[in-house]
Amino acid sequence: MTKTRRFGMLLSCLLLLFASAPQSQASPGRGPLVTIRYTEHGIPHIVARDHGGLGYGYGYASATDNVCTLAETYVTVNAERSLFFGPDAPAQAGITTAGSSLNSDLHFQRINDSGIVDGYARSAPSRVRDLVRGFADGYNHFLRDNRVSDPACAGAPWVRAITEQEVYRYAYAVALLAGSGALIDELVTAEPPSRSGVQARSAPTADALVDGIRASDSGNGNGSGNGSNAIAIGAEGTRFGKGVLLANPHFPWKGALRFWQSHLTVPGELNVSGASLAGLPVVAIGHNADVAWSHTVSTAATVGLFEVRTVPGSPTRYLVDGRPQDMVPQAVTVRVRGAHGSTSMVTRTLWSTRYGPVLSGLSGVALPWGESAYALRDANATNFRLVESWLGLGQARSVEEIQSALSTTLGVPWTNTLAVDRRGRALYADIQVVPHVTDDHAARCNTALGAGVFARTGVSILDGSRGSCEWGSDSDAPVPGLLGPDRLPALVRGDYVANANNAPWLANPAQPLTSYPRVVGPVGGPPSLRAQQALRTVQRRLDGTDGLPGKGFSSRTMRDVLFADQSRAAEIGKADVLKMCAAFPPGQAPSSGGPVDARAGCAALARWQGDYRLDSEGSLLFSRFVLRLGSVPGGPWRVPFDPARPLTTPNTLAIDRGEVRVAFGDAVRELAAAGVPVGARLGDNQHVTRDGARIPIHGAPHELGVLNVITPVWAPGGNTDVVHGSSFIQVVEFGGHPSPRTYSLLAYSQSADASSPHNADQTRLYSSGTWVRERFTETEIRHSPALRIVEFRR
């Protein structure tokens, strides 16, 4: 039964009986199964008697905001896109990299046919089973009681009730996101030579594979293209309190990886607030009364390859220790929509070895199947522990307990964790799922190709013809094949730790981490300009040399630092660009299309302050220029990276090089062709459209070295809508208060439904730089002027 009440005196009395509070006690079996209290911007505070009720409330509330996105996600993981949308339709954004719905379906049907997800569902811990069962029931309750009004899916036949199975399938897809989920096309198109009729090709070079892997990383640490910043300031680095945490993941603004904000409470067990991907009924990034944590996409390679030698004349047989073994064929069949509503079946045979499935390439580089074949092993292929990990983080009371939760479950799939606690301790930990490929093992077992790739990327290509080259195991890992937590890097400090998708070694430059294997990340490798910006920004604030009052961080200064939108690329490159401008004869820059008048552009850059705020002028020209520098052979810097000076190198643009000068001229010409003045305001040319109105968006692409990453799509007429970047942002401060003081923003707002009042409300706040003060305590929640309550009983 569902009831809706408005805020009033009676409500205040009733809330005291069942509402959540850090010290509250609830009588088992009394009151509603679940209560959802909505405060400003549609943020739900879900209170339940148990995990089943918590999942129920989460499923109902998340469907209220994002039913079309969730329903499409369940079509995806059920391998039914070709049936509903057609085989050539695009795959769903975010959760796959497949080139078509057919390839997406083949991938997910292969997983579903294997039974691996169903097997976990039967053996999952009881609270996970309760949570998932409740989520499915709550989602289905929404569909029963509400007519879907979102024009994106209203009346669509694929918006249907779900079972627990779909929830588990989605969680598994998230686990695989940085590994096999980023190689779907390569996995479902691998065919033996006799079937494809293609002659065996020569193996790729290590340079080609390295370039492909690095290009797919997009500077963010893995093939998903996602990234993040997190800064954890301990008591020694704060102005007034015990700790401050910035959480700033950079994820897609549309699709299956949208964040959704919530506050989840089971009295006496859990009281946690933050955000997660909408289909995961947990808080993945957030805080409780005593700790706050965030994640950043790591540099760890979560997959590895094995090269197997095939038996001459039998490409689906291979040798291990001189003995032939048969590859395992799997006939995968999906239903496909045809013309005039007809359906048919498409079957494709996919092949696997003892190491994993055969694949046709890696990061866009073809891998031949002839005298040998290549198989993929994904370290997350047996990882269903991610929900357990996040439940454990939500119950932690110190950074030591955060580290313990990570180590016990080893279920975080592809991210670092940064945290602060009430005592003022700051934690960095890359305790996640990582292949057990030590440096010694790689040296013994990498093929010649693998040796060239592993040192530069951490991706191993091991000799599958030797059984001893299988991944190793550690006794403190939950399953074979993974590095145990004792081998993974972690650091606790009193001042700070930070990460912007850089390798672990620079979590705090004052105490470099060096004793971890290459598969986790490089030791001494170059941080991105964004990582430099994060670390330099922290150090300047602690030193008091950033122009702001005093020293050290508070919630206010952390928020100001993020939305200052300062560019590290501008800091080290703008002066050189102006020198280059002064040398153009007379103001004519070379370009691919001949000389172009650069005087107005150079004048705009001379006035520009090096930031990506809405009123910045000249920033768009600089952005288009820097994005072109990525293709300069050998890089555009005269002074290369030096591991001894990781925060100040590289530097000095090589403005005497023709490629650099042409890149600038091409940027000027590009803006002219788009009809965009070179000195135009950023806010007039970087935006999202909601309800027919443009909302200007501040921030810049990753390559500019701006913390607040924003990725628009460039078209012939200039930037179109933002598609990626800062998503859920949270600043948590511990001080002398019973609960933390928290400010947050969900940059694209809670709901993807264009008809929802919460489709763009936080987006407008983000545009103006206005933060939302979180309501966490009972008093704060009860006094919300927007308070609305929904109850469910059994």
Side-chain angles (χ1 to χ4, degrees):
M1 179 174 62
T2 302
K3 300 177 181 179
T4 302
R5 298 182 177 92
R6 291 294 178 186
F7 178 68
M9 186 177 298
L10 176 61
L11 171 63
S12 298
C13 296
L14 291 172
L15 285 172
L16 291 174
L17 297 175
F18 59 80
S20 70
Q23 71 282 2
S24 68
Q25 299 293 322
S27 300
R30 295 182 181 179
L33 167 72
V34 59
T35 301
I36 306 173
R37 295 176 290 172
Y38 288 98
T39 56
E40 293 93 327
H41 310 294
I43 297 171
H45 305 257
I46 303 170
V47 186
R49 294 199 304 259
D50 52 33
H51 285 86
L54 199 65
Y56 196 100
Y58 194 105
Y60 185 93
S62 61
T64 301
D65 285 332
N66 294 295
V67 66
C68 293
T69 298
L70 289 169
E72 184 183 353
T73 299
Y74 300 137
V75 170
T76 297
V77 298
N78 283 340
E80 296 177 320
R81 296 190 64 83
S82 297
L83 175 63
F84 288 107
F85 310 128
D88 298 325
Q92 188 175 20
I95 200 65
T96 82
T97 58
S100 68
S101 284
L102 177 60
N103 282 358
S104 174
D105 287 345
L106 290 166
H107 169 73
F108 285 106
Q109 191 62 52
R110 179 189 219 174
I111 292 172
N112 298 342
D113 287 347
S114 74
I116 188 171
V117 177
D118 297 338
Y120 172 74
R122 290 189 294 268
S123 61
S126 59
R127 66 176 182 174
V128 174
R129 292 200 306 271
D130 292 345
L131 196 65
V132 169
R133 184 182 304 115
F135 179 96
D137 289 346
Y139 178 91
N140 293 339
H141 188 146
F142 170 81
L143 291 182
R144 287 195 309 269
D145 285 7
N146 296 273
R147 184 174 182 177
V148 175
S149 60
D150 187 340
C153 68
W158 45 270
V159 181
R160 305 165 296 174
I162 63 170
T163 67
E164 301 156 43
Q165 194 176 47
E166 282 91 336
V167 186
Y168 286 117
R169 286 175 176 178
Y170 172 65
Y172 190 55
V174 170
L176 300 180
L177 185 66
S180 52
L183 295 166
I184 291 175
D185 288 341
E186 293 89 340
L187 287 167
V188 302
T189 57
E191 292 183 294
S194 59
R195 294 175 180 269
S196 65
V198 177
Q199 295 297 317
R201 293 158 293 183
S202 58
T205 65
D207 287 345
L209 275 177
V210 168
D211 289 345
I213 292 168
R214 287 177 174 170
S216 67
D217 285 353
S218 300
N220 293 319
N222 71 19
S224 69
N226 299 319
S228 26
N229 307 311
I231 299 173
I233 306 295
E236 296 172 17
T238 59
R239 297 187 65 185
F240 312 113
K242 292 293 186 181
V244 179
L245 179 85
L246 167 68
N248 179 211
H250 308 145
F251 267 61
W253 278 35
K254 296 179 180 179
L257 298 184
R258 278 181 64 103
F259 277 94
W260 186 72
Q261 191 170 356
S262 66
H263 178 187
L264 307 179
T265 304
V266 177
E269 284 193 54
L270 185 71
N271 187 26
V272 61
S273 183
S276 182
L277 304 179
L280 294 175
V282 292
V283 167
I285 292 175
H287 70 90
N288 57 33
D290 299 297
V291 296
W293 74 93
S294 189
H295 297 298
T296 60
V297 177
S298 78
T299 56
T302 59
V303 297
L305 272 62
F306 288 84
E307 182 179 359
V308 296
R309 298 175 188 172
T310 58
V311 174
S314 298
T316 60
R317 304 187 77 204
Y318 62 102
L319 299 171
V320 178
D321 297 328
R323 297 179 179 179
Q325 297 193 10
D326 291 325
M327 292 184 185
V328 178
Q330 182 180 352
V332 180
T333 300
V334 298
R335 295 176 66 193
V336 174
R337 188 185 71 187
H340 310 297
S342 63
T343 61
S344 60
M345 301 292 187
V346 171
T347 298
R348 189 176 296 173
T349 299
L350 306 178
W351 298 87
S352 293
T353 70
R354 63 187 283 178
Y355 306 110
V358 180
L359 75 170
S360 63
L362 183 67
S363 301
V365 180
L367 293 171
W369 186 345
E371 294 181 357
S372 63
Y374 293 85
L376 180 78
R377 183 169 179 184
D378 190 333
N380 279 297
T382 55
N383 181 21
F384 293 93
R385 303 175 302 278
L386 62 170
V387 173
E388 298 168 59
S389 291
W390 285 318
L391 288 174
L393 295 180
Q395 293 180 306
R397 291 293 176 263
S398 65
V399 294
E400 288 81 10
E401 290 187 15
I402 290 279
Q403 187 170 349
S404 176
L406 295 169
S407 299
T408 301
T409 58
L410 204 62
V412 171
W414 30 261
T415 61
N416 306 291
T417 302
L418 289 87
V420 295
D421 63 22
R422 178 172 293 283
R423 298 176 305 153
R425 303 290 283 166
L427 165 73
Y428 165 84
D430 190 10
I431 300 176
Q432 62 157 88
V433 173
V434 183
H436 194 293
V437 180
T438 64
D439 292 349
D440 287 343
H441 189 68
R444 289 193 305 269
C445 288
N446 261 323
T447 65
L449 178 62
V453 172
F454 181 77
R456 290 182 280 174
T457 68
V459 176
S460 59
I461 306 177
L462 304 182
D463 183 358
S465 69
R466 291 185 282 157
S468 61
C469 288
E470 179 61 280
W471 291 355
S473 293
D474 280 334
S475 60
D476 56 342
V479 295
L482 303 184
L483 291 175
D486 286 349
R487 291 185 188 262
L488 298 171
L491 178 65
V492 176
R493 289 184 62 91
D495 53 358
Y496 79 92
V497 291
N499 186 267
N501 311 123
N502 48 292
W505 77 291
L506 286 177
N508 184 309
Q511 189 178 354
L513 295 169
T514 58
S515 58
Y516 54 87
R518 177 61 184 86
V519 68
V520 174
V523 175
S528 68
L529 294 184
R530 176 164 58 84
Q532 283 191 357
Q533 180 73 357
L535 293 164
R536 290 170 59 86
T537 295
V538 171
Q539 196 57 57
R540 286 189 293 227
R541 179 85 291 268
L542 298 187
D543 295 340
T545 58
D546 59 358
L548 296 175
K551 297 180 180 182
F553 278 90
S554 65
S555 172
R556 167 63 67 182
T557 55
M558 185 67 81
R559 286 177 277 140
D560 289 346
V561 159
L562 180 65
F563 282 176
D565 292 319
Q566 288 291 324
S567 166
R568 174 64 177 155
E571 183 179 13
I572 62 174
K574 176 188 165 182
D576 293 327
V577 171
L578 295 180
K579 291 178 183 178
M580 180 173 64
C581 283
F584 287 148
Q588 300 292 304
S591 78
S592 300
V596 61
D597 190 341
R599 288 173 294 182
C602 291
L605 290 180
R607 297 189 300 269
W608 178 47
Q609 298 301 307
D611 64 75
Y612 279 80
R613 299 182 181 185
L614 295 181
D615 59 356
S616 67
E617 299 178 356
S619 57
L620 188 58
L621 171 61
F622 192 78
S623 177
R624 300 310 301 170
F625 167 57
V626 169
L627 291 175
R628 290 176 176 275
L629 292 180
S631 60
V632 172
W637 304 104
R638 184 173 295 156
V639 178
F641 173 72
D642 180 355
R645 297 183 295 154
L647 301 188
T648 57
T649 58
N651 61 58
T652 313
L653 269 178
I655 58 176
D656 55 331
R657 292 186 59 182
E659 299 96 331
V660 173
R661 292 175 167 239
V662 167
F664 186 80
D666 284 347
V668 172
R669 188 175 292 277
E670 184 177 44
L671 263 64
V676 177
V678 289
R681 292 177 70 255
L682 180 68
D684 295 335
N685 293 278
Q686 186 167 277
H687 50 77
V688 292
T689 303
R690 297 288 185 270
D691 196 23
R694 288 185 172 182
I695 302 174
I697 301 295
H698 55 100
H702 158 81
E703 292 84 352
L704 274 296
V706 173
L707 296 182
N708 181 31
V709 168
I710 286 294
T711 308
V713 174
W714 182 267
N719 279 333
T720 59
D721 270 15
V722 168
V723 296
H724 196 283
S726 288
S727 48
F728 175 68
I729 315 171
Q730 190 173 66
V731 175
V732 184
E733 182 178 40
F734 291 100
H737 308 282
S739 64
R741 290 187 172 180
T742 304
Y743 290 83
S744 64
L745 274 172
L746 192 56
Y748 39 67
S749 302
Q750 279 280 82
S751 178
D753 181 351
S755 65
S756 168
H758 306 301
N759 175 251
D761 53 346
Q762 290 197 66
T763 310
R764 293 187 180 92
L765 293 178
Y766 173 86
S767 175
S768 66
T770 304
W771 293 73
V772 176
R773 172 68 187 273
E774 182 194 77
R775 297 182 182 273
F776 185 66
T777 68
E778 279 307 297
T779 299
E780 291 168 341
I781 295 168
R782 288 199 304 267
H783 285 83
S784 169
L787 187 63
R788 180 173 63 89
I789 296 181
V790 178
E791 292 178 358
F792 298 94
R793 299 178 184 270
R794 281 180 179 167

